[in-house]
Amino acid sequence: MANLASAEIKARLERSYDAIATTYNTWAVNHPCSLRFSYLDRLLSLLQTENPTYDSEAPTKSALELGCGNGYPILQRLFSAGLFSCIVANDLSSVQLNSAKSELEAKHDNVQADWRQGDMTCLSFNPCSFDIIIGLYTLIHLPRSEQLLMLEKISLWLKPGGLALVNFSKEDTEADIIEEWLGREEGWMFWSGYGADNMPRLIQQVDGLEMVVGELRPEDEGSANVEFYWVILRKIPTH
């Protein structure tokens, strides 16, 4: 990793996800979603509890997913939730983002969709733009110093009282690289993280955010038992 700059990491990841999109999507469909859905349900429940004044017939809330892939499974749930009038979907892979757009946009014409392809760290939004922001299994593809940068951006983009759902690696590792992920020669893959033991302290240093949930949870990933650190964050209201 020492010889890999951030731009090269992201360029290689973009090429990989474009090339292995079909393989990855097949793997994802067969991968259990119950843990992701349980945290999404907790997030949406908190959103409605803390912001009870919404009209299900005319929803006005906004959401952002960082690294939406082909839209499965989280983005599909957001479009169907009946809570959001505007959803912004971002992914590094144009193949994946176009797949999500093709699958979801025509089916949910009551939701204003904004599709943003590219590096999530280069996204730009006005402060206080979103009620929720989600980034599952996606921030971990950034060099770990940029994961903290993304938390600062998330804090800026959330409305006061808004919520974010993200997960981080269990291990403290600067670079975890697999040359042929999912058995594909084109599947070069990169992960990074500060580890579950360090994240609470680092999150405390991000201005404007407080941790509502911070849990290390195992999940079944085929032959390997993998754990991630799951976090729900709240933008602290200013008084």
Side-chain angles (χ1 to χ4, degrees), residues 116 123-130 153 155-159:
R116 302 282 188 101
L123 294 173
S124 179
F125 302 103
N126 292 328
C128 305
S129 290
F130 299 102
K153 288 178 176 286
S155 178
L156 176 68
W157 297 337
L158 280 175
K159 298 176 183 179

Side-chain angles (χ1 to χ4, degrees), residues 34-196:
S34 58
L35 189 58
R36 277 173 281 186
F37 286 152
S38 70
Y39 278 101
L40 178 60
D41 289 344
R42 289 171 74 175
L43 182 76
L44 297 181
S45 178
L46 283 168
L47 177 67
Q48 295 174 70
T49 299
E50 299 187 8
N51 301 273
T53 55
Y54 74 95
D55 183 350
S56 60
E57 297 301 320
T60 60
K61 297 193 180 302
S62 55
L64 164 65
E65 185 175 12
L66 300 165
C68 67
N70 72 337
Y72 177 86
I74 298 298
L75 197 62
Q76 294 181 10
R77 281 284 185 98
L78 295 180
F79 269 91
S80 301
L83 295 173
F84 304 102
S85 60
C86 175
I87 296 176
V88 180
N90 155 257
D91 201 83
L92 189 62
S93 165
S94 60
V95 173
Q96 292 285 53
L97 193 68
N98 288 335
S99 177
K101 181 177 181 179
S102 176
E103 173 66 23
L104 294 171
E105 193 168 50
K107 294 180 180 179
H108 301 276
D109 56 6
N110 59 319
V111 178
Q112 179 184 346
D114 184 355
W115 307 92
R116 302 282 188 101
Q117 188 271 328
D119 175 4
M120 67 175 73
T121 66
C122 296
L123 294 173
S124 179
F125 302 103
N126 292 328
C128 305
S129 290
F130 299 102
D131 294 281
I132 67 166
I133 298 175
I134 298 175
L136 296 182
Y137 308 100
T138 55
L139 273 69
I140 56 176
H141 286 310
L142 299 173
R144 60 187 185 179
S145 62
E146 294 187 15
Q147 295 174 27
L148 301 181
L149 170 64
M150 281 310 305
L151 289 179
E152 293 175 0
K153 288 178 176 286
I154 286 170
S155 178
L156 176 68
W157 297 337
L158 280 175
K159 298 176 183 179
L163 298 160
L165 169 61
V166 293
N167 58 3
F168 299 97
S169 64
K170 174 186 177 182
E171 305 298 335
D172 182 350
T173 176
E174 185 176 4
D176 183 9
I177 294 173
I178 295 179
E179 296 290 342
E180 297 183 7
W181 190 48
L182 299 181
R184 292 291 303 274
E185 183 178 351
E186 311 96 322
W188 185 90
M189 203 54 55
F190 171 93
W191 299 272
S192 184
Y194 286 103

